C-alpha cells in the first residue's frame, strides 16, 4: 500500500513539475512500467496487479491485454478535456477503461 501511495505522490509530483504542459507519452509509459506488480484498485474497489510486456499491459483480472496506444489515447482524452467531463472509467470510452482509469488514478494522472 505504501508503494501505491508513493506512486500517487510520484505521479502528482510529475504532474506538478510539468504544470501547464503534457507529460510525454514515453514518460507516461515509463511510469506505468515502473509500477507494475503493485496492487491497484479499480473504481469499484477490486484489487489487481499488472505486468507490462513490450507495448501491452496485462492485468491479472483480465484475459486480454491493454495496449500502450490505448493508454496514450485515454491520456490524450483527459488532457483535451477542458470541460472536465471525464470523471470516471466509463467516460474514457476505451477498451479496459476500469483498469486504465485505476492505473491513472494510482499514478496521480487523474
Amino acid at each position: 500500500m505504501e508503494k501505491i501511495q508513493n506512486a500517487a505522490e510520484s505521479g502528482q509530483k510529475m504532474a506538478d513539475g510539468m504544470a501547464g504542459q503534457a507529460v510525454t507519452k514515453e514518460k507516461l509509459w515509463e511510469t506505468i512500467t515502473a509500477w507494475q506488480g503493485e496492487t491497484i484498485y479499480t473504481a469499484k474497489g477490486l484489487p489487481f496487479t499488472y505486468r507490462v510486456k513490450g507495448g501491452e499491459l496485462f492485468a491479472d483480472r483480465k484475459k486480454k491485454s491493454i495496449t500502450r496506444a490505448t493508454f496514450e489515447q485515454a491520456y490524450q482524452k483527459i488532457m483535451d478535456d477542458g470541460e472536465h467531463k471525464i470523471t470516471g472509467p466509463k467516460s474514457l470510452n476505451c477498451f479496459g477503461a476500469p483498469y486504465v482509469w485505476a492505473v491513472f488514478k494510482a499514478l496521480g494522472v487523474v
Side-chain angles (χ1 to χ4, degrees):
M1 185 68 172
E2 184 176 319
K3 279 195 174 183
I4 294 302
Q5 289 172 340
N6 290 342
E9 290 169 7
S10 173
Q12 187 59 47
K13 288 178 187 173
M14 181 173 64
D16 290 344
M18 301 182 142
Q21 35 180 321
V23 174
T24 65
K25 292 176 182 179
E26 290 77 23
K27 183 65 175 173
L28 177 66
W29 194 249
E30 284 175 16
T31 305
I32 289 169
T33 301
W35 292 101
Q36 64 184 321
E38 298 299 324
T39 301
I40 296 177
Y41 295 87
T42 66
K44 291 185 176 184
L46 301 171
F48 73 96
T49 60
Y50 68 87
R51 62 184 171 82
V52 174
K53 185 174 180 182
E56 297 177 285
L57 180 142
F58 295 87
D60 64 356
R61 298 183 67 88
K62 188 163 187 58
K63 291 183 181 184
K64 294 186 178 184
S65 66
I66 304 167
T67 64
R68 176 179 176 167
T70 299
F71 277 91
E72 290 173 354
Q73 290 169 353
Y75 178 72
Q76 193 60 52
K77 281 182 187 179
I78 291 166
M79 293 298 103
D80 293 344
D81 182 29
E83 298 177 15
H84 305 291
K85 290 185 178 182
I86 298 175
T87 58
K90 285 185 181 180
S91 52
L92 279 178
N93 196 27
C94 68
F95 179 78
Y99 301 98
V100 173
W101 184 264
V103 170
F104 283 172
K105 188 88 168 166
L107 297 179
V109 173
V110 292

